[in-house]
Amino acid sequence: MTSRMAQEIAEIPAACARLGSGPTAKSITAAAEALRTTAPTVLITIGRGSSDHAATYLSYAFGIAAGLIPASYPLSLASLYGQSPRSQGHAALAISQSGQSPDIIAAATAIQEGGAALLVLTNTPDSPLAEVGGLTIDIAAGPERAVAATKTFIVSIVAGLRVLALWQEDRHLLRGLDQIPDALSDALTLPSADLTNLFADTDRLMVLGRGPSLGIAQETALKAMELCQMTAVAFSSAEVKHGPMQILNGAYPVLDLQRADPLPGTRSVYPPGRPKLHPLIDPLLDLVPIYVALEAAARARGLDPDAPARLAKETITL
């Protein structure tokens, strides 16, 4: 029987294609126009888990293409310590598939009340987060019932990239985004046996990325922990040289999204080859075969990829 997770991975290309038309496209255009009016110099991001990793990806993209300084907001400042942030003139991006967690809602509320222009990316447009105010983009990815977020992660990033491309009037990026549904469909068929074997056979993993692919590295490590019950960590390929590489010995398994030469003491594995659409898009194409491999590896381990034992679909934190 096909898992829900596998079904939702297969839905990613069609979900991304829907972003280019209908109400979602109109809200993306409105968000781009709002950024043009606000002309922010700082992008404050708000999210947890996979949503925070999507924010990492978009922080690099907005920084590279628009010159914004990204700042990841510590949610507890609002939810536990009641901070009243001074955020006048800045843009804020809150990402949450469910829009239910009180700490994300508290942070988005505080940042907006502090003066920032708030943009919300969510798969639940009637959620409490969407009601905070600002501009809400319903990513319209469709129901996602597997606990591990897959299509909402990728669709959130593609929606954010569309906002960026329209705001900056970046024709190259827009052209790549128009091509991404087909490229993601092709990515579903890429060979992933090496990745599946990696995730199925090891109990430790380091994932390396840099720039936008750091968000993909973080997401991969999280999913490896969720789905395969292994110890997995993600690092920048530069940061790993500032201490973490000391643990790399005994053919330590490393998934290197940068495809660099192996570090001493490691057994490096790389994602399969893929086309190049745009530097701000290409790392996303690595994630689809990784998701496919993680789902297969979870089943090979005798685990349920749809419902990891200790996790719930909606995580509520204060």
Side-chain angles (χ1 to χ4, degrees):
M1 180 182 295
T2 302
S3 69
R4 288 176 177 172
M5 181 180 173
Q7 293 170 0
E8 289 161 4
I9 294 168
E11 293 168 2
I12 290 171
C16 287
R18 290 195 293 270
L19 295 174
S21 61
T24 298
K26 292 180 180 178
S27 60
I28 287 173
T29 299
E33 292 173 351
L35 288 172
R36 197 169 293 119
T37 299
T38 305
T41 57
V42 173
L43 177 68
I44 303 165
T45 60
I46 300 164
R48 280 220 192 274
S50 289
S51 294
D52 193 40
H53 304 157
T56 297
Y57 193 109
L58 290 172
S59 290
Y60 277 101
F62 276 70
I64 291 166
L68 297 189
I69 300 170
S72 177
Y73 185 70
L75 306 187
S76 297
L77 284 179
S79 64
L80 294 185
Y81 300 103
Q83 185 200 49
S84 297
R86 297 190 296 271
S87 52
Q88 297 92 338
H90 301 328
L93 177 62
I95 306 175
S96 173
Q97 61 171 345
S98 69
Q100 299 289 338
S101 191
D103 50 358
I104 293 177
I105 296 163
T109 301
I111 290 292
Q112 180 173 248
E113 290 178 349
L118 177 65
L119 171 62
V120 173
L121 292 174
T122 183
N123 201 38
T124 315
D126 58 352
S127 64
L129 177 62
E131 294 173 359
V132 170
L135 283 168
T136 295
I137 295 175
D138 174 11
I139 65 171
E144 188 175 61
R145 296 185 176 89
V147 167
T150 53
K151 65 177 176 176
T152 53
F153 177 86
I154 290 181
V155 178
S156 293
I157 291 175
V158 174
L161 291 175
R162 280 197 168 275
V163 172
L164 174 62
L166 288 173
W167 173 31
Q168 295 296 300
E169 299 179 338
D170 187 331
R171 294 181 180 179
H172 183 200
L173 180 54
L174 280 170
R175 185 164 56 252
L177 290 167
D178 288 339
Q179 296 171 334
I180 199 171
D182 288 340
L184 290 168
S185 292
D186 291 342
L188 286 168
T189 67
L190 290 174
S192 57
D194 287 348
L195 293 174
T196 300
N197 291 336
L198 172 69
F199 297 135
D201 296 339
T202 186
D203 60 358
R204 57 180 184 166
L205 178 68
M206 183 177 287
V207 191
L208 299 180
R210 196 169 186 186
S213 71
L214 179 59
I216 303 302
Q218 294 169 335
E219 171 69 358
T220 300
L222 174 64
K223 290 296 187 288
M225 289 186 282
E226 288 180 331
L227 296 164
C228 296
Q229 294 184 353
M230 71 172 70
T231 300
V233 292
F235 285 101
S236 158
S237 55
E239 188 66 30
V240 73
K241 298 178 181 180
H242 289 258
M245 67 185 299
Q246 182 64 19
I247 70 170
L248 300 177
N249 55 66
Y252 199 110
V254 172
L255 174 56
D256 186 358
L257 304 180
Q258 297 296 102
R259 298 170 170 83
D261 292 336
L263 293 169
T266 67
R267 172 171 65 92
S268 289
V269 176
Y270 307 97
R274 37 82 171 156
K276 294 184 179 181
L277 300 183
H278 188 284
L280 300 184
I281 295 174
D282 297 342
L284 278 177
L285 303 181
D286 286 334
L287 187 55
V288 170
I290 289 172
Y291 277 157
V292 170
L294 283 164
E295 189 272 346
R299 289 187 288 104
R301 285 174 174 263
L303 302 171
D304 183 353
D306 292 334
R310 297 184 181 92
L311 304 177
K313 183 61 179 173
E314 293 182 4
T315 304
I316 304 300
T317 46
L318 300 177

